[in-house]
Amino acid sequence: QVQLVESGGGLVQPGGSLRLSCAASGRIFNSYPMGWYRQAPGKERELVATITSAGTTNYAGSVKGRFIISRDNPKNTVYLQMNSLKPEDTAVYYCNKPGALKWAWGKGTLVTVSS
């Protein structure tokens, strides 16, 4: 079973930046597309960015142009560079495979955007 560990969250002012990391155990990580999700208080979890095993990326409209997803396959790690952060980006951020078949969710990392 693959284990996912997210890190890098914190408190940041509007307009600021953060870089999130997701470390995955297991040698099969490189074969799968990966995604970053977020869940704001009182809202459903939403997919904000995906990256294929070859590096093709896709973004939700709300973060396009501000967030960049990348991966380092030898390190079994996926990153989310978040720029020009807005208060509405406040959420717990998780990584996992996109699609219906997912690994167990990690604990996530909290991002709070506030002045």
Side-chain angles (χ1 to χ4, degrees), residues 36-87:
W36 279 98
Y37 296 77
R38 68 185 181 187
Q39 186 167 21
K43 295 187 177 181
E44 293 188 354
R45 191 173 292 171
E46 63 171 340
L47 179 63
V48 297
T50 60
I51 186 168
T52 67
S53 57
T56 300
T57 59
N58 198 20
Y59 300 92
S62 59
V63 306
K64 196 169 187 178
R66 301 188 298 122
F67 290 10
I68 300 171
I69 187 171
S70 61
R71 66 191 297 163
D72 186 335
N73 286 337
K75 293 185 178 179
N76 283 359
T77 302
V78 178
Y79 303 98
L80 187 68
Q81 177 67 43
M82 305 187 297
N83 302 318
S84 301
L85 283 161
K86 304 176 181 180

Side-chain angles (χ1 to χ4, degrees), residues 101-115:
L101 298 179
K102 289 182 168 45
W103 295 314
W105 292 96
K107 294 182 179 180
T109 187
L110 175 63
V111 173
T112 303
V113 184
S114 176
S115 55

